[in-house]
Amino acid sequence: QVQLVESGGGLVQAGGSLRLSCAASGRTFSSYAMGWFRQAPGKEREFVAQISWSGSSTYYADSVKGRFTISRDNAKNTVYLQMNSLKPEDTAVYYCARKSQFDYDYWGQGTQVTVSS
């Protein structure tokens, strides 16, 4: 069983930064791509960023490109999301997920990020 635990969320002013972490259990973490998603109140969950198993490839939603950076440390079974220049519209619950061959199959419980104006 894979467990994903996010941390690092909180309240920050617009223009500020936060770094989210997602710690994964299991010995196969480094074999999988990982992603970050977010869900704002009253909205559908949306893709934020993805990183390949090796960390050599990354993908971002247009809304966060240039402000957010996804990275991973396979030795620590952890994936990160560095969020800079935060905006009020970035307020959401942020989730990390493991990407299997066809879809995201394991999800964390989420961490709240609130950006005040």
Side-chain angles (χ1 to χ4, degrees):
Q1 185 74 5
V2 174
Q3 287 190 321
L4 303 175
V5 180
E6 301 97 335
S7 61
L11 174 64
V12 64
Q13 288 189 332
S17 298
L18 283 174
R19 188 176 82 153
L20 306 183
S21 299
C22 172
S25 65
R27 293 177 291 178
T28 61
F29 172 79
S30 61
S31 300
Y32 294 89
M34 297 291 295
W36 285 96
F37 292 76
R38 67 186 181 186
Q39 187 167 20
K43 295 187 177 182
E44 292 189 355
R45 185 171 60 198
E46 65 174 355
F47 169 80
V48 173
Q50 179 181 306
I51 188 167
S52 62
W53 65 271
S54 66
S56 61
S57 297
T58 56
Y59 308 92
Y60 297 93
D62 288 343
S63 58
V64 307
K65 203 171 293 183
R67 299 187 299 122
F68 290 11
T69 302
I70 188 171
S71 62
R72 66 190 297 160
D73 185 339
N74 286 340
K76 296 182 178 179
N77 278 15
T78 302
V79 61
Y80 304 97
L81 186 67
Q82 178 67 44
M83 306 186 295
N84 298 329
S85 303
L86 283 162
K87 305 175 181 179
E89 51 264 44
D90 294 319
T91 294
V93 178
Y94 283 71
Y95 301 89
C96 69
R98 189 186 81 167
K99 191 174 192 299
S100 67
Q101 182 178 2
F102 301 109
D103 203 355
Y104 288 90
D105 57 357
Y106 287 95
W107 295 80
Q109 83 291 346
T111 186
Q112 176 71 47
V113 172
T114 303
V115 185
S116 63
S117 57

